[in-house]
Amino acid sequence: MFKPLDPLLHSQLRLAVMSLLIGVEEAEFTFLREKTESTAGNLSVQLDKLEKAGYIGIEKSFKGKRPLTTCKITKVGLKAFEEYVENLRNYIE
Amino acid sequence: MFKPLDPLLHSQLRLAVMSLLIGVEEAEFTFLREKTESTAGNLSVQLDKLEKAGYIGIEKSFKGKRPLTTCKITKVGLKAFEEYVENLRNYIE
DNA sequence: TAAATAGGTTTATGATATAAACTATTTTAA
DNA sequence: TTAAAATAGTTTATATCATAAACCTATTTA
């Protein structure tokens, strides 16, 4: 009936990040920060967790002379997200 | 875009409880415990929080000689749940 | 060249979810 | 008839987590 909800995704900010990443090829740190209206510190921590779980990939490079962090959802992440949503539906429908 | 999710509802067990209470006139503690597969301690704590927020009403009585705790969703609780679900949709659709 | 901005990371803390331990009563088994 | 187990919870302890504050380094601007 109520399947457990992946604690990594059952978090407002991480869920928002995953939601954003599903719609795009890849996204920059600042883009995610603006869209989620989060602080940089919080976003940084949550991105780390998603990366460690293998849900997203993070690439660090430079845009001109400034550091650039680019995020991309992985197959594992996409699958986890879909399963989370599927499970969540039992709670809200 | 991403509206904040009511922290009181963005919790697996409390959400499950509210989900159950929406479907019924009222529900006993033991019913909720079985359906959610939670421990009694956890359930007790979460019911308290829902009650303190005014999302549910709790009545204590007796069934025969044994204590009986009965829970019921309130109008405030129903509205909060509906708003939560509405906000959540932005994250998962 | 001092101050502000950009693009983050690390650290501190307060809140939260959860289970373990506990209470009180009732039923069952020996 | 009393010891043990079950019922129906509550209280307490803990470990984790989300979050923002503080911090860092390089770059741009006044």
Side-chain angles (χ1 to χ4, degrees):
Chain A
M1 177 76 184
F2 294 113
K3 299 229 186 95
L5 300 174
D6 182 345
L8 238 112
L9 294 180
H10 199 62
S11 142
Q12 186 167 325
L13 182 49
R14 287 195 300 270
L15 191 62
V17 166
M18 293 293 283
S19 179
L20 286 168
L21 289 182
I22 275 181
V24 297
E25 174 59 17
E26 56 181 31
E28 297 179 11
F29 186 96
T30 51
F31 171 83
L32 294 174
R33 199 168 94 65
E34 280 159 21
K35 287 290 181 185
T36 59
E37 293 172 89
S38 59
T39 60
N42 191 9
L43 182 56
S44 179
V45 169
Q46 306 311 327
L47 289 180
D48 267 9
K49 291 188 183 175
L50 289 173
E51 189 192 27
K52 260 155 203 157
Y55 288 5
I56 67 171
I58 300 183
E59 295 262 304
K60 275 155 203 308
S61 60
F62 283 87
K63 174 161 48 173
K65 294 176 170 176
R66 292 168 172 292
L68 177 69
T69 300
T70 310
C71 305
K72 203 175 207 168
I73 197 169
T74 64
K75 260 186 196 165
V76 172
L78 181 60
K79 196 163 170 248
F81 185 84
E82 281 167 352
E83 197 178 331
Y84 169 79
V85 170
E86 206 45 52
N87 289 342
L88 190 60
R89 291 203 188 285
N90 293 138
Y91 292 75
I92 64 174
E93 281 173 357
Chain B
M1 175 79 183
F2 294 114
K3 299 230 186 92
L5 300 174
D6 183 344
L8 238 113
L9 294 179
H10 197 62
S11 140
Q12 186 167 326
L13 182 48
R14 287 195 301 270
L15 191 62
V17 166
M18 293 293 283
S19 179
L20 285 168
L21 289 182
I22 276 182
V24 297
E25 175 58 18
E26 56 181 31
E28 297 179 11
F29 186 96
T30 50
F31 172 83
L32 294 175
R33 198 167 95 65
E34 280 159 22
K35 287 290 180 184
T36 60
E37 292 171 274
S38 59
T39 60
N42 191 9
L43 183 57
S44 178
V45 170
Q46 306 311 328
L47 289 180
D48 268 8
K49 291 188 183 175
L50 289 173
E51 189 191 26
K52 261 156 204 156
Y55 288 5
I56 68 171
I58 300 184
E59 297 262 304
K60 275 155 202 309
S61 61
F62 283 86
K63 174 161 47 171
K65 294 176 171 180
R66 293 167 172 291
L68 177 69
T69 299
T70 310
C71 306
K72 203 176 207 168
I73 198 168
T74 64
K75 260 186 197 166
V76 172
L78 183 59
K79 196 162 171 247
F81 185 84
E82 281 168 351
E83 197 178 331
Y84 169 80
V85 170
E86 207 45 53
N87 289 341
L88 190 60
R89 291 202 187 285
N90 293 139
Y91 292 75
I92 65 174
E93 280 173 359

